[in-house]
Amino acid sequence: MSVLICGSLAYDNIMVFPERFKDHILPDKTHMINVAFLVPELHRNFGGTAGNIAYNLQQLGGEPLPMATVGPDFDEYARHLERLDINQDYVRCLGDHWTAQAYITTDLDDNQITAFHPGAMNEAHCQPVPEDRDIAFGIVSPDGKQAMLDHSEQFREAGIPHIFDPGQGLPLFSGDELKRMIENADWLAVNSYEWEMLKKKTGWAHEDITSRLSGGLVITLGGDGSELWTGDGKTHIPAVKPAKITDPTGCGDAYRAGLLFGLERGWDPADACRLGSVIGALKIAESGPQNHDFTPEEVAERFESEFDRPLPQ
């Protein structure tokens, strides 16, 4: 069955700064910051949360349905999705907006500075969650603010289980708005930085959130793995060591694809998180969010070698 991925489709312009940001930013001058970073490496990639999650989910053998709004400059990306055989039924082109664009600079410590032009993404609320499609699971990932609010409500009304993944869109929402979207969802997925921000905005701790979710809370910790919080308590999921560390862009989306794949199939949630760790490790070894290749067979072998248990069926 299909997984509806509400989120962005964007062009990612990824630049590598071969030094460390901290060596060029004066802490006592941040109120008047004026810094230029020379970036000899520039890569333009297909990205956006909906595209990245769909890319990984398709390679796993899932049935992703990305839902996003784009501009007339989307043709190259559309051909990319066609080559991957990813369904574009809910990719809507708006003639008077550009496709979203991200400008991401990464330093030697894998810190990132991102500028993002939303473009057509800001009109994503024009598409509602379809009720006439065989959708087994969904995700509300970073998108236009109104779209995230609307899609959260629509998933709940349609009775479609889903993950709420506020991501870099988290600062857009008030504490009350975040609470409502959490209560609508079955799962909440955040990274460690987003978790601290979410706690501050909502005033909710782990137990407050897990008591409101039928599934649970997943907090990714980068190289320290991830945490799965459910009504039964906390489970630590170890990180999978990558072949090399090249580019962290899109690692969170890769993890969420593995999580969605397992949850849609009714796996033990810890195994779904373990699969997310495997896919994240495969992604970070390659530059860009959609340039890593793998087969389901390769993933199953890696999963068993890392966790000493077979990949669930």
Side-chain angles (χ1 to χ4, degrees), residues 137-198:
F137 219 95
I139 183 169
V140 175
S141 62
D143 205 350
K145 178 180 179 179
Q146 192 59 51
M148 294 177 72
L149 291 167
D150 290 353
H151 295 156
S152 170
E153 295 289 341
Q154 292 160 6
F155 271 127
R156 181 187 61 81
E157 292 168 0
I160 299 172
H162 71 282
I163 297 171
F164 174 42
D165 170 24
Q168 292 178 331
L170 199 153
L172 298 173
F173 301 101
S174 68
D176 287 341
E177 288 170 332
L178 290 168
K179 287 179 178 180
R180 177 61 180 169
M181 288 188 282
I182 291 169
E183 290 173 335
N184 286 341
D186 300 87
W187 290 87
L188 172 65
V190 291
N191 65 29
S192 56
Y193 183 86
E194 294 156 1
W195 169 243
E196 294 301 322
M197 186 185 298
L198 187 140

Side-chain angles (χ1 to χ4, degrees), residues 49-60:
T49 55
N52 296 344
I53 295 171
Y55 176 85
N56 289 281
L57 197 54
Q58 183 81 351
Q59 290 207 76
L60 280 168

